[in-house]
Amino acid sequence: MMRCRMNASMSENTRKDIQTLREWIDRCPKGRMVFFGGAGVSTESGIPDFRSPTGLYGSPRAKTYEYSPEFMCSRTFFDGHTAEFYDFYTDRMLYLEAQPNRAHRKLAQLEADGILGAVVTQNIDGLHQAAGSKKVFELHGGVLRNFCRKCNRFYDVHQMMAARDADPEGIPHCECGGVIKPDVVLYEEPLDESVMEGAIRAIASADLLLIAGTSLAVYPAAGLIDFFHGSHLAIVNMSPTDRDRSADICIAASIGDVLDY
């Protein structure tokens, strides 16, 4: 029998919608569920989102910088203000102590059970893989990987940080002299074509698409849901999105609560 653990403050309609979604998940044809997630998936792990009052862009801490967070996350800023980029990046975008939460662990379990075919994520924290998920399409890259721009040598995040600490200007350099860049997609950079193609194939073949923790405001990533033509589309987000009217169910709750069963 399905165990139903839900937040006591939820409305009865929300409880019913969550129950319906859980039934869709458990009845989904093998490998035909796809999860599409954003920053709200990792907030329970202590990683801030982007646009909330306490997020990367809106928090008082973000406003202590001379430049806007959006500009500091751009390729122009990386190329022209590399030291300042790394000051911001290491201060506000690296959360190396964060651990997978209930949502990450449940998704990994669903994949192991053969229900979930793929995770498509806008997050760069690597927590899906840390929880055990194998098929993960990281649309915006990942902070755990870093590459020299000159020789393409790989550096894990700890090696990158050590190289930065050893540099007088705080810029991580490779042994060949090239600047090390995180394997994250900055503003003004294109998404990786192979990752996009894999995500599109997964979504296009899905019977159930579960979207969670994203405002669906960042393109081209948000446009991927246009490739979904399956049976059920569910959106779990604390605030409304522009795509709510296309969904079969919209649930205003944390994805951790929804998947905690």
Side-chain angles (χ1 to χ4, degrees), residues 10-246:
M10 290 178 182
S11 70
E12 185 61 28
N13 285 339
T14 298
R15 289 169 178 268
K16 289 180 179 179
D17 285 343
I18 291 174
Q19 187 66 25
T20 297
L21 174 57
R22 291 175 176 178
E23 291 171 357
W24 287 350
I25 292 172
D26 292 339
R27 295 173 183 172
C28 185
K30 293 293 185 180
R32 297 285 301 281
M33 174 185 171
V34 169
F35 180 82
F36 182 102
V41 177
S42 293
T43 53
E44 193 174 311
S45 295
I47 300 177
D49 60 14
F50 287 87
R51 292 170 176 82
S52 73
T54 58
L56 182 66
Y57 295 164
S59 69
R61 184 173 168 185
K63 297 174 183 177
T64 62
Y65 288 90
E66 180 180 355
Y67 305 96
S68 71
E70 292 91 339
F71 183 46
M72 287 188 287
C73 290
S74 71
R75 181 57 183 266
T76 295
F77 192 78
F78 176 86
D79 289 339
H81 306 266
T82 310
E84 291 92 335
F85 168 86
Y86 271 104
D87 287 342
F88 176 78
Y89 178 78
T90 55
D91 178 44
R92 298 294 287 139
M93 298 185 71
L94 291 184
Y95 292 85
L96 302 182
E97 302 302 319
Q99 297 297 314
N101 60 46
R102 297 175 294 170
H104 297 112
R105 293 192 295 270
K106 180 65 176 183
L107 291 166
Q109 176 193 323
L110 290 170
E111 183 183 29
D113 292 342
I115 296 173
L116 183 69
V119 169
V120 179
T121 180
Q122 296 171 287
N123 294 339
I124 58 176
D125 50 49
L127 292 181
H128 285 292
Q129 294 92 325
S133 290
K134 306 299 183 185
K135 194 169 185 180
V136 181
F137 296 102
E138 293 178 306
L139 298 176
H140 298 149
V143 299
L144 303 182
R145 303 181 301 274
N146 304 266
F147 294 92
C148 172
R149 293 186 59 205
K150 184 176 180 180
C151 72
N152 205 39
R153 176 175 174 176
F154 170 82
Y155 287 80
D156 68 28
V157 67
H158 300 291
Q159 292 170 323
M160 180 278 289
M161 292 289 286
R164 178 178 184 260
D165 291 341
D167 187 87
E169 297 181 354
I171 300 172
H173 283 89
C174 176
E175 292 181 1
C176 76
V179 174
I180 300 170
K181 180 184 179 295
D183 188 25
V184 297
V185 179
L186 302 176
Y187 289 122
E188 304 168 349
E189 291 184 322
L191 302 188
D192 183 276
E193 288 186 11
S194 63
V195 173
M196 284 286 284
E197 290 171 0
I200 289 170
R201 284 195 300 269
I203 291 172
S205 63
D207 188 70
L208 167 62
L209 177 60
L210 172 56
I211 299 171
T214 173
S215 63
L216 295 175
V218 177
Y219 284 81
L224 290 179
I225 68 173
D226 292 332
F227 292 92
F228 176 70
H229 302 290
S231 300
H232 301 298
L233 172 61
I235 297 178
V236 178
N237 201 53
M238 296 303 293
S239 58
T241 78
D242 291 340
R243 298 300 189 102
D244 284 0
R245 60 179 172 271
S246 301

